Amino acid sequence: MKKQFKTLSFCVSVSLLCASCTVGYINTDTLKQNYEKKIHHTTLLGKVLFKTDQRKKDTYDHVQVFLNENEVNRDFEVTAYGSYTPLILPLIRPERPRLERYLLWKAARKARKLNADGVIIDNKNDFRVIKFK
């Protein structure tokens, strides 16, 4: 009985360790689609919030999200560095879907709070808040 319990606890700890370490790749098209879906299709009690939520509309209209520094095509200065590290419980919800769904939206929202013009996503957790010159 003790041997089975030790084996089971070892397997659970290894699976927790592996689930929290591996993310794999995140497709940029999926990131952009989820960003658009988050903006336009968020509902509360059957109503589309984009038409009534002015803060969300303001963020979408004024903050540009770039996935590469070469996409900017303008002079800019970095206002702040930020990161999005969601709370992850590996057995319930892995990290990758959470990042795919919320990374661009969280970065854009932080940029709007700082009155910036855009965001450059550097990697799966880090982003730069930029202001155009």
Side-chain angles (χ1 to χ4, degrees):
M1 185 69 174
K2 273 187 172 180
K3 188 175 182 180
Q4 289 176 345
F5 180 71
K6 286 181 182 179
T7 305
L8 179 65
S9 65
F10 176 74
C11 291
V12 168
S13 64
V14 168
S15 67
L16 284 173
L17 180 66
C18 291
S20 63
C21 294
T22 58
V23 171
Y25 73 94
I26 297 175
N27 193 353
T28 56
D29 293 334
T30 306
L31 284 173
K32 289 179 184 177
Q33 287 173 359
N34 286 336
Y35 178 64
E36 293 291 328
K37 192 182 295 182
K38 174 74 178 161
I39 295 295
H40 292 293
H41 300 294
T42 303
T43 61
L44 178 66
L45 303 175
K47 294 183 179 180
V48 177
L49 289 180
F50 186 69
K51 295 175 183 166
T52 59
D53 192 352
Q54 293 301 318
R55 207 168 82 196
K56 183 181 267 192
K57 183 171 176 16
D58 187 54
T59 300
Y60 183 72
D61 290 341
H62 293 96
V63 176
Q64 297 177 353
V65 178
F66 303 103
L67 295 173
N68 189 354
E69 190 173 306
N70 297 332
E71 293 178 2
V72 179
N73 294 331
R74 290 174 65 177
D75 292 335
F76 64 89
E77 63 181 40
V78 177
T79 306
Y81 292 96
S83 65
Y84 171 59
T85 51
L87 177 66
I88 301 299
L89 300 173
L91 293 177
I92 297 172
R93 188 174 190 185
E95 184 178 16
R96 181 177 163 207
R98 188 118 177 141
L99 287 171
E100 282 181 348
R101 188 166 297 159
Y102 297 114
L103 175 64
L104 299 185
W105 170 243
K106 295 287 185 177
R109 213 167 77 189
K110 293 294 181 188
R112 194 61 191 152
K113 285 181 183 178
L114 295 173
N115 292 326
D117 297 321
V119 175
I120 299 174
I121 306 297
D122 289 327
N123 56 33
K124 73 178 184 85
N125 291 99
D126 300 323
F127 57 89
R128 291 180 278 173
V129 178
I130 61 172
K131 197 162 200 145
F132 297 130
K133 291 183 179 180

